[in-house]
């Protein structure tokens, strides 16, 4: 746009404000991405972190520096405020890798902040000095004001980015790389250099447990589930010893209190005893299950958090999305190239040292220095020395230049007078040996780099073992673990149900996220979400909380097909349903009605009495039916014919036992949970008071029930169905007597955690089994050249069965390298998987022919003659009439 100027009338050019904002925004976004939020792939550092470490290196004198002084020094390079530098420095220090800290640097467990910068001190760690700095291999640039030089990137010889992790939010871009384990990173670097496959997983300083099945190598779209480590202290108390990454004890307790206030969980009190280690005690309310509460804590609080990584780095001034495995491979090869560069620099330095030492030796031994005594000019001196060295030029690996000659003139007379030819030869030989060694390292740079990483692991790897346990988690269904925080009511007359109808009929306790199932007298069933008040229909004969995949609840239904049709009986389960869809439980004939209905939570059987309406020639009007003889089918099954005559009423005569039999239980070794779905190790059939026994590596045993919500010890080594006659055989080391013992005992019937090895410090369990004829092989450690042959023993022959408190039979005081269990007992055979019967299609509303699926009692008698013979006598008349 052109418009005339007020001064001279010449046209002026106008700049659109939108254009200015577009350019400025792009400049700002680029600056934030490249200079503030996203780390560099080359050294794994953001600019502020690089400047802090460079400042520490410049101030390094072996002593601690006030953090305030370091911040002031860093402001020579960092064009931002001191607060940003202080925060970044505290974050680096809390990772306990590059900075040696002194004073109160805060607490990552409790979230407490560090003391003021004037009160705390810091210096570079030995590890940081070794892997971060080398001025000879560093590229430099001018600082923001042009007064100082700062490194473009530090020559880091370690996958620092993956060890520390990083998080940053830029303009339209974010970065979130998880910290990884120090030792595992080094091992992976070695594998990368050896062209072997590797896979690294995060490790968090706060410990806990993590499921990395969806990690996706740290790329966008991946997900990590991290859990606190929760243990059952007793039946009324839970203890949290490790917390998820990204949380603190304060935030975790707040989430527990919030869940309790929302009545998702029910706890009496929460105590925070955290100091150098996490200890949060959760006191449960009376009657609350610890196992269900643990699951509820994972579901409704920050005891389980989900983390979405986003591995983004800066390479060649551009953001790139690389997987953590690719980043590690790049880092390993960059380290190898830096080591090669350092070796080449060292090689050149040694060559120069050898060159001058050889020059010096010839210059002094051949007395060339005497030829310059009569030279009157500087040029003549240089020319005379060059002429004297001319016969020896072929002895050198490069040409002799003027700088070499000038350097010879700088040798002092005292050095010439004390020159020792033997020492000079030894020095030259030493330099030649070093040159040979360096040359060998350059030729075998991969082996040299691998040895470099191994030395790092040896020097700095102690105490850096993995803290986060790698686990696979089972999904927790909220409705199964949420506390009953509401009460369900129903107004049968108006057909409304919900937890706000407090003046109406009470049904049961429930939660506000439950589903409810409703059966009506017209033979329909509906499942719907619970709410404050919802219309569920009139004529409700049964309403309850609905549990998905509940195969234990069996419904009994007697209905009449149409106004004058036959009467049928069936036993069925609800099965999978669609919410708010009406399911017809009858044959669908108009005018059908329910004569009898019950819900049995554990598949209990019943005996019902059927009373017929009086009719001519109908002699027996009352007979009984034992429902235990009727097969349990799907809800769409038609059922078995009871009678074709009008029924006056159906009543319950007696309640029987469960017809479902014992429950098959499996133990999933991956998620360490029980299940009834056939996953993992089959434990057996359970019912009544049956128990499960667990042996742990800590030398304890414990009995559990077979509730699927049960949580087990993390160090579980053996699990099976408890048999009070089965013997436990164990080999353990007694820390008091410094000897090995073999012990065999029968566990006592108690649900308390019981120790079966000695309590002395240093006592540890080596082997524990419930195999009744267990055999082990003992491999001894060589001692002072004395080799003890391996030994095989049968535990049941070596030691007798004694009481739990007995120490056992002494085996040996020799040092044992390994004990291998040779025999493993086969567990019970798992039942064959049964195919579920497909639901029968719904019958036509206007059937013309008899439905072949509707079985008569005579048909049932032929199929189950042995099972229901005793019931046929009571139905003799009815059966004859049906046959006629």
């Amino acid at each position: 746009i052109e418009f005339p100027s007020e001064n001279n009338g010449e046209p002026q050019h106008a700049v659109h404000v939108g254009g200015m904002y577009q350019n400025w925004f792009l400049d700002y976004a680029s600056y934030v991405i490249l200079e503030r939020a996203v780390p560099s792939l080359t050294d794994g550092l953001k600019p502020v972190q690089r400047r802090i470490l460079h400042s520490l290196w410049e101030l390094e004198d072996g002593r601690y520096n006030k953090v305030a002084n370091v911040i002031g020094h860093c402001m020579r390079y960092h064009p931002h405020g001191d607060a940003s530098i202080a925060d970044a420095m505290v974050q680096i220090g809390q990772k306990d890798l590059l900075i040696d800290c002194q004073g109160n640097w805060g607490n990552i467990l409790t979230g407490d902040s560090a003391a003021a910068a004037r009160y705390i001190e810091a210096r570079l760690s030995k590890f940081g000095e070794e892997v971060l700095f080398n001025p000879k291999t560093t590229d430099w640039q001018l600082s923001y004001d042009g007064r100082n030089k700062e490194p473009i990137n530090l020559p880091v010889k370690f996958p620092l980015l993956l060890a520390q992790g990083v998080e940053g939010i830029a303009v339209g871009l974010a970065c979130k790389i998880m910290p990884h384990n120090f030792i595992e990173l080094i091992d992976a670097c070695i594998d990368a250099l050896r062209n072997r496959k590797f896979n690294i997983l995060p490790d968090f300083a706060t410990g806990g447990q993590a499921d990395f099945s969806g990690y996706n190598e740290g790329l966008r779209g991946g997900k990590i589930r991290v859990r606190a480590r929760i243990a059952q202290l007793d039946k009324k108390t839970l203890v949290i010893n490790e917390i998820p990454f990204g949380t603190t004890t304060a935030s975790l307790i707040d989430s527990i209190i919030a869940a309790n206030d929302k009545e998702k969980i029910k706890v009496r009190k929460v105590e925070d005893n955290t100091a150098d280690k996490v200890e949060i005690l959760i006191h449960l309310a009376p009657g609350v299950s610890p196992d269900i509460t643990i699951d509820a804590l994972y579901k409704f609080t920050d005891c389980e958090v989900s983390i979405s990584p986003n591995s983004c780095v800066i390479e060649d001034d551009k953001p790139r999305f690389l997987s953590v495995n690719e980043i590690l491979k790049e880092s390993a090869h960059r380290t190898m190239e830096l080591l090669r560069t350092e070796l080449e620099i060292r090689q050149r330095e040694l060559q120069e040292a050898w060159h001058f030492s050889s020059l010096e030796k010839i210059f002094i031994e051949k007395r060339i220095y005497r030829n310059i005594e009569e030279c009157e000019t500087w040029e003549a001196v240089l020319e005379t020395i060059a002429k004297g060295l001319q016969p020896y030029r072929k002895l050198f690996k490069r040409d002799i230049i003027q700088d070499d000659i000038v350097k010879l003139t700088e040798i002092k007379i005292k050095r010439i007078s004390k020159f020792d030819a033997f020492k000079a030869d030894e020095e030259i030989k030493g330099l030649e040996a070093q040159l040979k060694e360096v040359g060998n390292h350059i030729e075998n740079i991969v082996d040299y780099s691998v040895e470099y990483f191994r030395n790092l692991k040896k020097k700095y790897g102690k105490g850096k073992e993995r803290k986060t346990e790698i686990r696979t988690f089972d999904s927790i269904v909220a409705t199964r673990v949420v506390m009953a925080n509401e009460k369900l009511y129903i107004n049968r007359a108006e057909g409304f149900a919900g937890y706000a109808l407090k003046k109406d009929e009470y049904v049961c306790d429930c939660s506000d996220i439950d589903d409810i199932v409703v059966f009506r007298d017209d033979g329909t069933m509906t499942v719907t979400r619970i709410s404050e008040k919802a219309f569920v229909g009139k004529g409700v004969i049964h309403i309850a909380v609905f549990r998905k995949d509940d195969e234990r609840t069996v419904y009994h239904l007697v209905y009449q097909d149409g106004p004058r049709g036959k009467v049928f009986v069936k036993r069925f389960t609800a099965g999978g349903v669609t919410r708010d869809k009406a399911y017809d439980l009858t044959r669908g004939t108009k005018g059908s009605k329910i004569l009898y209905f019950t819900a049995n939570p554990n598949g209990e059987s019943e005996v019902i009495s059927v009373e017929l309406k009086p009719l001519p020639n109908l002699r027996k009007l009352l007979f009984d039916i034992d429902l235990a003889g009727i097969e349990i089918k799907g809800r769409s099954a038609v059922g078995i014919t009871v009678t074709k005559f009008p029924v006056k009423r159906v009543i319950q005569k007696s309640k029987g036992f469960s017809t479902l039999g014992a429950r098959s239980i499996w133990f999933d070794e991956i998620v360490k949970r029980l299940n009834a779905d056939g996953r993992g190790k089959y434990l057996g059939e359970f019912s009544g008071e049956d128990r499960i026994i667990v042996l742990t590596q800590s030398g304890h045993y414990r009995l559990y029930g077979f509730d699927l919500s049960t949580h087990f010890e993390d160090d579980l080594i053996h699990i099976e169905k408890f048999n009070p006659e089965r013997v436990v055989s164990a080999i353990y080391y007694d820390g008091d007597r410094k000897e090995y013992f073999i012990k065999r005992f029968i566990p006592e019937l108690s649900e308390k955690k019981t120790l079966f090895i000695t309590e002395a410090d240093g006592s540890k369990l080596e082997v524990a089994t419930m195999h009744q004829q267990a055999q082990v092989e003992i491999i001894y450690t060589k001692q002072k050249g004395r080799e003890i042959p391996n030994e095989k023993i049968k535990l049941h022959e070596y030691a007798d069965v004694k009481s739990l408190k007995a120490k056992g039979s002494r085996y040996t005081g020799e040092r044992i390298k390994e004990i291998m269990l040779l025999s493993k007992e086969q567990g019970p055979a798992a039942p064959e998987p049964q195919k579920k019967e497909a639901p029968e299609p719904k019958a036509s509303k206007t059937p013309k022919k008899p439905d072949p699926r509707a079985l008569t009692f005579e048909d049932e008698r032929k199929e189950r003659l042995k099972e229901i013979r005793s019931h046929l006598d009571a139905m003799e008349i009815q059966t004859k009439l049906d046959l006629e």
Side-chain angles (χ1 to χ4, degrees), residues 137-157:
T137 58
T138 302
D139 295 326
W140 303 87
Q141 65 182 0
L142 291 176
S143 61
Y144 69 95
D145 60 1
R147 290 188 175 94
N148 302 283
K149 287 196 306 180
E150 64 172 322
I152 298 174
N153 285 294
L154 293 178
V156 178
K157 301 187 290 294

Side-chain angles (χ1 to χ4, degrees), residues 167-273:
E167 184 173 359
I169 300 176
V171 180
L173 190 69
C175 170
K176 194 166 189 176
I177 299 176
M178 300 295 103
H180 294 71
N181 181 261
F182 182 91
I183 297 174
E184 292 175 6
L185 287 176
I186 291 179
D187 292 338
C189 284
I190 294 173
D191 289 337
L193 294 176
R194 297 291 193 194
N195 292 322
R196 295 195 292 253
K197 290 184 179 180
F198 62 90
N199 185 42
I200 54 173
L201 297 174
D203 184 28
F204 307 118
T206 54
Q209 304 169 330
D211 184 346
F212 300 110
S213 55
Y215 183 44
N216 193 29
E217 296 186 4
L219 291 171
R220 287 179 297 180
K223 183 173 288 187
I224 307 170
R225 295 168 62 192
V226 190
R227 286 182 176 178
R229 191 179 295 277
I230 308 176
Q232 184 178 335
L233 204 60
D234 53 51
K235 291 186 177 181
K236 298 181 180 179
T237 312
L238 302 177
V239 58
I240 299 176
N241 294 317
E242 296 175 6
I243 60 177
F245 176 72
T247 66
T248 63
T249 55
S251 65
L252 191 64
I253 291 173
D254 288 343
S255 72
I256 294 173
I257 294 173
N260 185 69
D261 292 341
K262 294 177 182 178
E263 298 183 335
K264 301 295 185 183
I265 61 175
K266 197 170 184 180
V267 300
R268 185 167 55 86
K269 183 173 62 172
V270 181
E271 291 182 42
D272 187 4
N273 298 330

